[in-house]
Each structure stands twice: as C-alpha cells, then as structure tokens.
Amino acid sequence: MNLFWQRGYDAVSFDDLVAATGASRRGLYSLWGSKEDLFAAAMARYRHGVGDYFFDDMEADGAGRAEIEAFWDKFEAGARSDQFRGCLIMRTANQPLARRPAIGAEITGYFDRFQSAFGHALAGAVKRGEVEKVVDPAIASALAFGVAYAVSAVASEGGFDRHAEQLIAAGRAATGVG
C-alpha cells in the first residue's frame, strides 16, 4: 500500500511490489491475479483503516461538535506532517484508474462514508445547539469533503502552506467549529 501511496499506481511495477513485499512474483499472482487486483485490495485496506481513524467517532451515537473538531485537528496534524502524501483514495479519484469497477467502488465507499459521518455528527451538533445551523448538515458535509479533497491535492505536492491552512480554516467554519 505504501508504495502505491508514495508513487501512484502507474509508477509502481510488479517487480517493485515483489521487492517491497519480499514475496515471490508467483505468490503475489496467486493471491491477486493482477497489479490492479492488488491495488484494489490496498485501497480497501486504506479505506477501512483511514476511514476508521477519521470517521468512527463522528459515526458514534451522540457525536457532535467535539467529534467534528477532533476530525479537523487530526486532519490538520496529518497535513502538516513532513510525511503527508495526501489521501491515496482522493488522489486516485483523479486518475483514469478510478473508472475501473473495483477501484471505483473503493473510492465511492470512502467518499460516501466521509459525507455520512460528517452529516451524522453535524446533525447531532445542530440538534443539541452545539453549532449554529448555518447551512444544512448535508451541504456542510459536502463542503468538508471538498476541503479535504483540495488539501489532499495541494499539500501532497507542495507541503502544508497558507493555502492548505486557509482551506482547513474554511472547512472548520463551514462545519460550525471554526
């Protein structure tokens, strides 16, 4: 997964995967019939691991403002990290590979979970009066998604800069915690 995340799908050969994993070519092909199948499995692993890290708390019963703030804090800390490479799924969504069924399903699943988790926490925060209802939670969730997508693109190439910082501040504001 890290090799794909570092270089992107097209820049990774099957020989690179053999070298990185220490597995044999035959072993990799027996588990995954192709590089694309292996990439889809890596995407699924990433989607669940990263998704759980960012979204579990916002999906919980009683989620609200604190969970939204925690998301932005974790997201900003990650984006400020020297190792930040952007979101593997969001970066892949911009590639022709995203139109392949298995890859597209992983992308859609992650995107849907992102917006659903935000929508859930925002609805709870609005209902309890923890944030003002500036916009509909579904719209604010879509805005949060757009911010995360943009930061992933901007900061993965040029590092964390004032543009990424402004985008995150806008995301916080759009979700009532800025």
Side-chain angles (χ1 to χ4, degrees), residues 116-175:
S116 175
F118 252 97
H120 176 75
L122 283 166
V126 168
K127 181 178 179 181
R128 288 188 299 282
E130 297 170 348
V131 298
E132 289 186 36
K133 185 177 178 181
V134 179
V135 294
D136 182 273
I139 293 170
S141 298
L143 289 169
F145 172 79
V147 165
Y149 198 92
V151 170
S152 184
V154 168
S156 68
E157 294 300 322
F160 195 86
D161 62 7
R162 69 179 174 86
H163 300 292
E165 187 171 33
Q166 290 169 343
L167 285 165
I168 291 173
R172 288 179 188 272
T175 54

Side-chain angles (χ1 to χ4, degrees), residues 5 46 83-91 151-153 155-157:
W5 198 4
Y46 180 93
Q83 290 82 36
F84 185 71
R85 297 184 296 259
C87 174
L88 174 64
I89 291 178
M90 290 182 179
R91 285 179 28 214
V151 170
S152 184
S156 68
E157 294 300 322

